[in-house]
Amino acid sequence: SFTMNMYLFVYDLMQFCGHSWIFTNMIIRFMTFGKDSLADTFHSIGLVMRLCQLLSVLEILHILIGIDKSRLLPRFLQITERIIVLFVVINSQEEVQGKYVVCVLFFLWNLLDVVRYTYNMLARMGIYYLPLTWLNFSLCIPLYPLSVLAKGFAICVSLPYFESFGTYSIKLPFPFTFSIYFPYVLKMYLIVLFTGMCFIIQNLFSERTAHLGTGNIKTKRS
């Protein structure tokens, strides 16, 4: 309906504005301060980044109620990956926030999202540009695996701090003998992360084929 389409357009516009601000801010800071800006990335744009990622949870709801025709599982995996790495790993360990991998991860996320939300906004209005459509369904194929590698590296960097501080590790008192050692949880999640990557990459290729075919754009909304 027109109302739902307008709602999705406003949602895409809000996300586009947020991610564009982050992306522009990162570039300007790097051009101004050079490498010194990398260590301060999280403190400069972390709040807006967290707001954008929390807002992205609505995309799962959009699929569940049927106003977005995207596949649920791939989108769910992509969103939860970011939520876990951003809020559980990076946000909880101040020592990790200053690592260069955080800057790399934010750059990849925002580059992908600026393109995706631009495409989605125009698609809501029935506008399809060949270069933008090609970029939307092609750029994610090389950049998504790179972002997964950055996520994995961020988790590995965080492990010594989780081990030292005992963050999220739980040891139940007597008579219970059950305990959760969080670094082990993160190591197991690395397996899930890279296994899910294979599934999502396959889905990305399927989406690219469905929208681009053999080179012709199929005017289908995202």
Side-chain angles (χ1 to χ4, degrees):
S1 67
F2 176 79
T3 303
M4 287 294 98
N5 207 45
M6 280 302 300
Y7 161 75
L8 290 173
F9 177 84
V10 172
Y11 168 80
D12 291 330
L13 178 61
M14 291 174 61
Q15 288 281 38
F16 169 79
C17 291
H19 289 290
S20 295
W21 181 87
I22 296 171
F23 191 69
T24 304
N25 187 286
M26 291 181 67
I27 293 176
I28 292 176
R29 283 176 52 80
F30 182 76
M31 293 177 64
T32 304
F33 303 107
K35 290 184 178 180
D36 293 337
S37 67
L38 302 181
D40 197 37
T41 296
F42 184 84
H43 298 287
S44 303
I45 63 175
L47 177 60
V48 180
M49 192 71 200
R50 281 172 283 181
L51 290 175
C52 288
Q53 295 310 314
L54 284 176
L55 191 62
S56 70
V57 176
L58 287 174
E59 296 180 26
I60 298 174
L61 179 61
H62 296 163
I63 299 173
L64 289 174
I65 64 179
I67 61 176
D68 188 337
K69 302 304 179 183
S70 301
R71 295 179 62 187
L72 176 61
L73 184 56
R75 196 74 199 115
F76 175 79
L77 290 175
Q78 287 177 298
I79 292 173
T80 53
E81 285 173 7
R82 292 190 181 189
I83 293 293
I84 290 172
V85 172
L86 179 58
F87 287 92
V88 178
V89 176
I90 299 175
N91 190 62
S92 66
Q93 299 296 337
E94 188 174 352
E95 291 77 7
V96 178
Q97 295 169 11
K99 304 295 185 182
Y100 288 169
V101 66
V102 174
C103 182
V104 173
L105 196 54
F106 283 8
F107 181 84
L108 293 173
W109 285 355
N110 286 282
L111 177 57
L112 288 170
D113 285 339
V114 167
V115 173
R116 183 164 69 91
Y117 289 115
T118 302
Y119 171 83
N120 285 349
M121 282 192 300
L122 294 177
R124 308 296 177 198
M125 298 184 293
I127 300 173
Y128 301 88
Y129 290 112
L130 174 59
L132 180 60
T133 304
W134 183 89
L135 192 63
N136 181 62
F137 293 102
S138 301
L139 187 64
C140 55
I141 292 176
L143 292 192
Y144 173 71
L146 290 178
S147 73
V148 172
L149 290 174
K151 293 171 194 172
F153 186 75
I155 291 174
C156 291
V157 168
S158 72
L159 288 176
Y161 302 108
F162 280 104
E163 292 171 353
S164 300
F165 303 136
T167 311
Y168 301 132
S169 294
I170 300 173
K171 186 174 183 179
L172 299 178
F174 183 82
F176 302 100
T177 58
F178 180 77
S179 62
I180 299 176
Y181 187 57
F182 197 69
Y184 289 163
V185 176
L186 287 178
K187 290 176 183 178
M188 288 188 291
Y189 180 69
L190 283 173
I191 300 174
V192 176
L193 184 65
F194 285 99
T195 302
M197 179 186 70
C198 299
F199 171 75
I200 292 174
I201 290 176
Q202 183 180 14
N203 182 72
L204 292 175
F205 274 106
S206 298
E207 285 187 344
R208 188 180 189 279
T209 301
H211 287 81
L212 299 181
T214 57
N216 298 318
I217 300 299
K218 295 185 178 182
T219 55
K220 178 181 178 181
R221 290 182 180 174
S222 173

